[in-house]
Amino acid sequence: MNQPTHHPAQQPGAESIVCSRCGVVAEGPQLTWTCSVENGTRRYFCDDCARANIRSIEGRLDSNWW
């Protein structure tokens, strides 16, 4: 009998998040970070990278362009 596999729910903040631009690591979601979905992939950007590229982010340019 085929039964779906259930994975235990992760606690919020249980995984580390890496900035897609500079590679800095944070433990769990950060309030000042930016999240972007590009071509179906979720990308996170630290507050320093987001501030440096805010116009490109607001213009909805993919991170490859900036």
Side-chain angles (χ1 to χ4, degrees):
M1 189 156 93
N2 250 350
Q3 293 185 1
T5 303
H6 295 283
H7 300 284
Q10 290 184 341
Q11 296 294 325
E15 64 182 53
S16 60
I17 298 174
V18 179
C19 176
S20 295
R21 187 91 175 142
C22 70
V24 72
V25 179
E27 294 302 319
Q30 301 293 310
L31 294 176
T32 57
W33 284 38
T34 301
C35 178
S36 174
V37 177
E38 299 175 10
N39 299 320
T41 303
R42 185 171 291 194
R43 296 183 179 202
Y44 293 95
F45 300 99
C46 69
D47 52 347
D48 290 333
C49 290
R51 283 185 193 134
N53 298 289
I54 192 67
R55 291 182 187 253
S56 297
I57 293 169
E58 288 177 344
R60 300 209 178 261
L61 293 175
D62 282 348
S63 60
N64 295 334
W65 289 96
W66 39 281

